[in-house]
Amino acid sequence: WSYGMVPGHRSAPAGLRGAHSGTWRPTVSMDADLGFLQDNVGPNVEELGSFAVGDRVRVVSSKLEFMHVPKHPKLNPKGLEGEVTRLITDVSANLPVMVSFTEPRKFRAHFHASELERID
């Protein structure tokens, strides 16, 4: 951290005041190469499975519990059927398959491909 003089900001802490008059604020200098962030953007093929938007799917994992479904706290989605509404490929998502459900009430959830099976 370094302190640079910027008009309109509070004064620096007493021990950091210099000979200059004015107000001070902390500034951060970043000289890091962030190019590595672009190398692994998006999930690989195994994470998406062979799903496509519009596929009907069933939840097969029994180790899930949803807390975000209104009026259904601690909902275990095993056996619920829904429709794939999005495959997240533009960022590195942990759960890249978004599924929309209508039962027991309308909600959406994200899954890994291994937690779903396609139904015909």
Side-chain angles (χ1 to χ4, degrees):
W1 289 86
S2 64
Y3 284 86
M5 197 166 79
V6 176
H9 288 292
R10 63 182 168 81
S11 296
L16 297 176
R17 289 192 180 113
H20 302 296
S21 63
T23 57
W24 301 76
R25 76 172 177 109
T27 58
V28 178
S29 173
M30 291 187 56
D31 295 325
D33 176 21
L34 301 178
F36 69 92
L37 293 174
Q38 298 299 319
D39 294 342
N40 295 319
V41 173
N44 60 34
V45 176
E46 294 83 31
E47 291 171 336
L48 290 176
S50 59
F51 296 109
V53 172
D55 285 350
R56 295 284 303 162
V57 293
R58 179 181 301 122
V59 180
V60 295
S61 180
S62 62
K63 298 178 181 179
L64 302 175
E65 199 172 74
F66 292 148
M67 306 298 277
H68 72 284
V69 182
K71 298 184 182 179
H72 296 278
K74 297 187 178 181
L75 174 68
N76 184 337
K78 183 174 181 174
L80 292 181
E81 296 180 4
E83 181 179 327
V84 175
T85 54
R86 185 173 176 203
L87 298 172
I88 301 171
T89 59
D90 53 343
V91 296
S92 179
N94 293 336
L95 305 170
V97 182
M98 183 191 297
V99 179
S100 292
F101 298 94
T102 56
E103 297 294 330
R105 82 184 277 126
K106 189 175 180 179
F107 72 98
R108 293 181 299 192
H110 295 262
F111 294 91
H112 191 275
S114 64
E115 299 170 330
L116 303 168
E117 69 178 359
R118 186 177 338 186
I119 55 178
D120 295 323

